[in-house]
Amino acid sequence: MRARLASANEHKLAELRAALPGWELALLDRADFPPETGATFLENARAKARFGRLHAPADEWALGEDSGIEAAVLGGRPGIESARWAEDGVARLLSELEGATERGARYVCALVAIAPDGRELAVEGVLEGAVAHDPRGSEGFGYDPIFVPLGEQRTVAELGDEWKRSHSHRARAAAALQSALSGSG
Ligand code: IMP
């Protein structure tokens, strides 16, 4: 199954390739992705997938992905603002949580897949965890140096890309997509 991911993020591509065996996945080669104006991860993922549907080869699937981190004590922020915080996102999140003992957070990934015939599948994957007090580790991207998954002591950046490929919010969304596909005939 061939698909184009409407994203310029190589990390997302690598994680989804590992999590979607049997798919032949490539980035959609565009520079003009639509702005993220949706109110939810799912709306943004759908907008990207629909953009992908317009520009991907007609015989390939179009995939849209939107993801981010939600801190409980911040009422779910940065959430869909995660990318906009991203340049100094780690420093900003640490500073917004300074002194906070409640550091629960979750990674969320929404994935929308549109088939060549226009059939649309939408799924989500979540990874629960907490925000560390200091950045640790060098793998992954974005908030990985400060995100500690539930049941782990190490950050995602310490756990590494290999761990991420089978446990991340993106891997979970990909698994949900696979089961939605096998259930939808
Ligand atoms: P998007 O391209 O709008 O989906 O941006 C997602 C943003 O959320 C990224 O730029 C990261 O800052 C953050 N993010 C999403 N997924 C991850 C992840 O797996 N690890 C760390 N940060 C992530």
Side-chain angles (χ1 to χ4, degrees), residues 5-173:
L5 176 67
S7 169
N9 188 323
E10 295 279 354
H11 292 279
K12 291 182 177 182
L13 176 68
E15 288 181 24
L16 286 172
R17 272 187 176 149
L20 290 170
W23 290 63
E24 208 177 300
L25 203 54
L27 291 179
L28 185 70
D29 190 17
R30 301 284 303 195
D32 55 343
F33 291 110
E36 295 182 356
T37 53
T40 62
F41 290 116
L42 209 51
E43 284 180 22
N44 285 336
R46 183 172 289 120
K48 292 180 202 179
R50 289 186 178 167
F51 177 83
R53 186 63 283 148
L54 291 177
H55 300 290
D59 60 345
E60 298 189 18
W61 284 68
L63 289 189
E65 191 269 16
D66 197 49
S67 49
I69 186 169
E70 297 180 338
V73 76
L74 301 180
R77 283 189 314 129
I80 55 169
E81 301 282 323
S82 297
R84 266 155 274 172
W85 279 30
E87 194 134 321
D88 64 345
V90 165
R92 180 158 172 195
L93 188 52
L94 286 177
S95 110
E96 297 230 5
L97 291 183
E98 201 173 328
T101 47
E102 160 49 42
R103 305 185 71 87
R106 54 186 213 153
Y107 272 157
V108 181
C109 169
L111 203 52
V112 173
I114 309 181
D117 68 4
R119 182 166 51 115
E120 208 169 290
L121 295 169
V123 293
E124 273 195 353
V126 171
L127 179 65
E128 299 284 349
V131 178
H133 288 271
D134 299 291
R136 300 191 310 263
S138 57
E139 294 193 39
F141 69 100
Y143 299 86
D144 288 343
I146 56 167
F147 187 79
V148 180
L150 200 66
E152 300 288 345
Q153 302 297 321
R154 292 179 290 169
T155 66
V156 172
E158 290 176 307
L159 288 162
D161 296 335
E162 205 49 51
W163 183 92
K164 223 180 158 186
R165 283 172 191 189
S166 45
H167 296 85
S168 75
H169 49 317
R170 203 160 286 109
R172 289 170 186 204

